[in-house]
Amino acid sequence: MLTKVNEDIQKTCENISKLLDVEVTLVDSNLVRIAGTGEFEQKIGTSIDKNSIYSHVLKTGKTYTMNEKYDSEKCGQCNQRYYCKEIADICCPIKINNTVIGVIGLVAFDEKQRDIMLLKKSELMLFISNIADLMSLKLKSIDHIEYLNDKISSFEELEKKEILKAIKKYGDNTDGMKKTAEALNIGIATLYRKIKKYDIK
């Protein structure tokens, strides 16, 4: 679902990274990285470890912070712990109707970035939570628009079928068209407009 707004998500991650001077990444519910800054940008489209803290956040639906890499119980379970360069993380779930569809994370790769994150930990947790909520709202609005478009499309298909059925019954000569318009309870001009719109031959 998050792939619907990939470009927007990447821009958001880049803006957050510049603003906070930390790296940002986002994974979907399949643990595929779909956005990232810094070192993460080269890893977009790749899967992350199923025992990572991001996987933990996907399962629990709760924000998780890792202040010290080797002191974190969840990091200890990750298969990439010996190769991972992350030294601090704040990970927040992105939800739609209580279903976790992804995780956004603020990440420190050096002491300076970690100090920034630890100094403003509670503010950053609130900030990243608000960003996750905004992403969720955007996805909901996209889904609603798609739903409405599907409804319009379904209505138009039905209308076209009814017009074709009536024309078949009454004929396509002048008299038949008048009867078709009457049967459909529309004006003759409207009928011809709809015939043109639906490209009815």
Side-chain angles (χ1 to χ4, degrees):
M1 182 177 282
L2 284 165
T3 51
K4 293 177 183 176
V5 287
N6 267 14
E7 195 175 318
D8 285 348
I9 286 173
Q10 180 61 25
K11 284 179 185 172
T12 300
C13 288
E14 288 168 4
N15 290 334
I16 294 169
S17 179
K18 287 174 190 170
L19 179 69
L20 302 178
D21 197 22
V22 295
E23 301 307 336
V24 185
T25 191
L26 194 144
V27 300
D28 65 14
S29 57
N30 296 313
L31 292 174
V32 174
R33 200 182 304 278
I34 61 169
T37 64
E39 292 191 27
F40 293 129
E41 194 167 358
Q42 306 302 316
K43 297 177 181 177
I44 292 172
T46 62
S47 297
I48 66 170
D49 195 272
K50 63 180 180 181
N51 294 317
S52 66
I53 57 176
Y54 290 84
S55 178
H56 171 74
V57 173
L58 277 171
K59 288 172 190 168
T60 63
K62 294 178 182 175
T63 299
Y64 184 84
T65 60
M66 183 268 284
N67 303 331
E68 290 287 345
K69 182 177 178 181
Y70 295 109
D71 288 344
S72 167
E73 177 194 343
K74 300 303 172 198
C75 275
Q77 297 170 2
C78 182
N79 297 317
Q80 296 298 311
R81 63 187 174 279
Y82 299 117
Y83 313 102
C84 181
K85 296 178 184 176
E86 299 169 33
I87 61 173
D89 282 80
I90 297 175
C91 304
C92 180
I94 301 168
K95 301 178 184 179
I96 289 187
N97 301 326
N98 294 320
T99 299
V100 182
I101 60 163
V103 179
I104 185 167
L106 302 180
V107 185
F109 282 102
D110 58 42
E111 300 294 328
K112 181 188 169 192
Q113 289 179 325
R114 186 181 67 181
D115 291 345
I116 290 169
M117 284 172 61
L118 294 181
L119 184 66
K120 298 188 174 181
K121 183 176 170 181
S122 56
E123 293 97 324
L124 289 176
M125 286 176 72
L126 180 61
F127 175 78
I128 204 69
S129 176
N130 287 336
I131 293 293
D133 288 345
L134 285 171
M135 288 181 178
S136 174
L137 283 171
K138 179 154 191 168
L139 285 165
K140 280 183 183 176
S141 67
I142 288 170
D143 280 349
H144 184 63
I145 289 166
E146 287 178 352
Y147 170 79
L148 290 177
N149 285 340
D150 285 345
K151 286 289 182 188
I152 290 167
S153 178
S154 297
F155 171 77
E156 289 179 341
E157 284 173 19
L158 183 64
E159 187 175 50
K160 182 178 178 179
K161 282 179 185 175
E162 289 302 310
I163 292 170
L164 284 166
K165 197 193 298 181
I167 290 172
K168 188 175 180 182
K169 182 176 180 180
Y170 298 110
D172 59 2
N173 57 25
T174 305
D175 190 50
M177 287 303 207
K178 285 179 184 175
K179 288 178 181 176
T180 295
E182 286 172 16
L184 296 171
N185 201 25
I186 57 176
I188 190 71
T190 301
L191 174 62
Y192 281 114
R193 233 182 0 256
K194 288 183 183 291
I195 287 171
K196 186 177 180 182
K197 176 184 174 181
Y198 297 133
D199 195 25
I200 296 171
K201 307 292 186 196

